[in-house]
Amino acid sequence: MDYYEIFISVLSSTIRLSIPLIFTALAGLFSERAGVFDIGLEGKMLGSAFAAACVAYLTDSAWLGLGAGIVCSVALSLVHGFASITNRGNQIVSGVAINFFVAGITIVLGQAWFGQGGRTPQLVPEARFAPIILPGADAIREVPIIGPLYAGVISGNNILTYLAFLAVPFSWWVLYRTRFGLRLRAVGENPGAVDTAGISVTWLRYRAVMCAGILCGFAGTYLAIAQSAAFIKDMSAGRGYIALAALVFAKWKPVPVMFACLLFGFLDALANFMQGKSVPLIGEVPVQVFQALPYILTCVLLAGFIGVAIPPKAGGVPYTKER
Amino acid sequence: MSTASVTLPRWINYGLIPLLNLIVAFLISGFVIWLIGESPLAALSLLIEGVFGSGEGIGFTLYYATSFIFTGLSVAVAIHAGLFNIGSEGQAYIGGLGCALVALALDNYVPWYVTMPIAVIGAGIFGAAWAFIPAFLQAKRGSHIVITTIMFNFIAATLMVYLLVHVLIVPGKMAPETRTFLEGGQLPKLGWIMSMFGSKLGAAPFNVSFIIALVAAWFVWMLVWRSKLGFEMRTLGVSPTAAVYAGVPYARTVIIAMLLSGALAGMMALNPVMGSSARLQVEFVGGAGFVGIAVSLMGRNHPLGIIFSAILFGALYRGGDWISFEMPNITREMILVIQGLVILFAGALEYMFRPAMVLIYQQFKRA
């Protein structure tokens, strides 16, 4: 295989592996920018993957699956909101609770309903989001350099992939160019000021966690019915936490979030590619090195060695009106 | 009207409200069981039968509880200093490395009672070392401890898989685990305690580390409520600014609290590694670090409460095994559901019933 082909194949798997991260990290962005920490991203992604797979299997419709994924994820967001906004509970504890609950319930229900050890049955092609061949992809496949790039990387992805890349500028626009976004960012920095201006902190934060729910719904749906053709237990496999790391890495900003996710996706793709191959001068690099890199990089960043990541000021603090 | 400032008697605050939260969590779990077409009452009676039906059931319950006491104490010590340590899982994992290295080095030469104290120290030091970096980053560089400890859980997991697959594995074997420890590296079972009550331990790996866990609980109580350091930690936990103003050294106290937390998490490894399987295996912690969060929250971060809630969770784990064996429709993961609900209601929603309680209490006082 020549080097350019390797490059194309790693690049296309980078994109495949980044999509759930992008959706989830954007979800975390909305929530955390409004001052609500969200450790429960992992659980929401897993829950929506399960819901999407179940409904897609029962209805043979990918779009209904997506709807179910979003509904499930938003419902979990509302639980998180009820605990951490209305009841002023600890946001981290609430997120941990959601992760546990979902990790268990998906397997319990999956086993009870389908009896395949927590899996859902294999989906028919109509129940999945199929790859979209962009116009002219086949025609220019043979053109050197650009051809494989267009046909192998840009074309041939499913609709959720394109939506993920559209979600990035859209999130930026919502957060920085709309009144809602301005208030949302303000409520994460200084909820008291927002309250004084006569705007409901509670309602704003609820809307923010619902946005997070919707985006996590896309992420879970992508995992279950676009990338795979069924729900498999624990299929989110820590991606919610990686997305959290990407969020820190991107310093809570939408466009850097996309690049951080692409970087972590690339590390993942590289790890898969490098398995069993040796690097000149170093020898065989253990897969675990690539797997641990996003976490290590995040810690290094958090320590302030590569710029400073400052979280939203009111993050993690429940808002109390009086006193 | 704010009800947060009304003082309630201790039995309501520390007894009734947690109990109410627990009951709600169980009711919802029962609903889930009903939803999948099984009888919640039958599941409950199976759970009770599984735990109390035999000495083996009690033995397994206490075996699980031992791990949860350690991790619960680990979480609690950090919480008293205002730190939320989600990293007990990783610290316990690395603690297992310390404990296994001691056992591998000594089991050939000395009996278990010589190996044990050194293994306790080894596990504690390795666990503490894994907590040190997040602690240092929190104290000196202001990195959020929740995020760094989560990251360190994953780093620990990948590191241990690497070590077990490439370094510690027995040459020629496929399973990623160390060799089996000889008798000098195994903790004896506590069958004699069971026989005192006229019952048999059976296959349950209930072992000496339970006693170490009880000693650790006593130590934590002494430390947090009876020592200067404990007072400083609690002050820091209530209000960092006030504590610093009063002269509590912030960085030092944060680091010491996390080292203790990590050491307690690390010692948990004694129970599965030296007490049960007699070898270091992949994923031997099995989520006990996270269970510690629920245990600590249920036990209101007090050692005595932690012992009780650890036994409760031990019973859930044992009972969960039993139920999934007898009712194939209910898988073992039902425990995770119950655990999530307990964390949600006892932790995040702990004040949900408080306003109602205050109203009822005031009605009664007036009458």
Side-chain angles (χ1 to χ4, degrees), chain A residues 89 92 100 105 111 295 302-303, chain B residues 141 143 154 290 331 337 339 348:
Chain A
I92 297 186
F100 265 111
I105 196 91
Q111 170 67 19
Y295 308 114
L302 274 170
Chain B
R141 321 240 7 151
S143 334
F154 284 101
F290 297 116
T331 55
V337 176
Q339 212 169 302

Side-chain angles (χ1 to χ4, degrees), chain A:
Chain A
M1 208 158 56
D2 74 77
Y3 287 117
Y4 194 64
E5 259 176 76
I6 294 173
F7 173 72
I8 292 296
S9 94
V10 170
L11 201 62
S12 79
S13 58
T14 295
I15 289 179
R16 253 198 330 276
L17 294 165
S18 305
I19 300 309
L21 296 181
I22 292 177
F23 278 128
T24 316
L26 286 175
L29 182 72
F30 274 93
S31 184
E32 302 206 347
R33 266 306 178 94
V36 182
F37 276 161
D38 202 346
I39 304 277
L41 293 171
E42 174 84 9
K44 275 185 260 187
M45 186 174 5
L46 192 63
S48 62
F50 181 71
C54 287
V55 169
Y57 169 71
L58 293 174
T59 62
D60 280 344
S61 156
W63 289 102
L64 286 177
L66 176 65
I70 290 175
V71 168
C72 171
S73 169
V74 170
L76 290 169
S77 282
L78 290 177
V79 171
H80 185 54
F82 179 68
S84 58
I85 304 170
T86 305
N87 282 290
R88 300 191 199 106
N90 187 317
Q91 299 170 359
I92 297 186
V93 173
S94 163
V96 170
I98 287 172
N99 289 344
F100 265 111
F101 178 76
V102 174
I105 196 91
T106 48
I107 302 174
V108 170
L109 290 182
Q111 170 67 19
W113 291 343
F114 306 109
Q116 298 184 5
R119 292 177 57 109
T120 61
Q122 205 72 12
L123 297 172
V124 293
E126 300 84 71
R128 300 182 57 201
F129 285 106
I132 298 170
I133 308 295
L134 293 182
D138 288 321
I140 68 162
R141 187 180 295 273
E142 300 308 319
V143 178
I145 310 293
I146 308 171
L149 194 67
Y150 184 74
V153 178
I154 298 172
S155 169
N157 297 300
N158 55 67
I159 186 146
L160 294 183
T161 306
Y162 300 110
L163 279 178
F165 285 103
L166 285 178
V168 176
F170 182 70
S171 302
W172 176 85
W173 180 77
V174 169
L175 280 172
Y176 291 92
R177 286 292 179 271
T178 65
R179 186 188 302 195
F180 169 65
L182 174 70
R183 290 175 175 175
L184 188 145
R185 283 180 293 132
V187 91
E189 296 293 335
N190 190 345
V194 176
D195 197 15
T196 313
I199 303 157
S200 166
V201 171
T202 308
W203 175 226
L204 252 178
R205 286 193 167 169
Y206 263 108
R207 278 184 287 172
V209 295
M210 281 191 270
C211 290
I214 293 169
L215 284 161
C216 272
F218 277 98
T221 306
Y222 178 86
L223 281 183
I225 68 175
Q227 199 175 30
S228 328
F231 173 85
I232 302 156
K233 69 177 183 179
D234 284 327
M235 79 183 306
S236 57
R239 283 189 187 83
Y241 298 108
I242 288 264
L244 215 56
L247 193 57
V248 177
F249 212 68
K251 303 175 185 176
W252 292 270
K253 291 190 179 72
V255 177
V257 157
M258 180 185 76
F259 286 111
C261 292
L262 284 170
L263 171 69
F264 290 170
F266 172 72
L267 290 176
D268 212 359
L270 201 61
N272 292 341
F273 174 76
M274 292 300 292
Q275 209 142 17
K277 296 194 181 67
S278 69
V279 182
L281 299 179
I282 308 173
E284 195 179 315
V285 180
V287 181
Q288 286 84 13
V289 172
F290 294 101
Q291 288 170 344
L293 257 181
Y295 308 114
I296 296 170
L297 283 176
T298 305
C299 288
V300 172
L301 178 88
L302 274 170
F305 294 126
I306 3 172
V308 187
I310 302 165
K313 221 174 176 176
V317 189
Y319 180 64
T320 319
K321 202 179 174 82
E322 59 248 66
R323 263 184 263 170

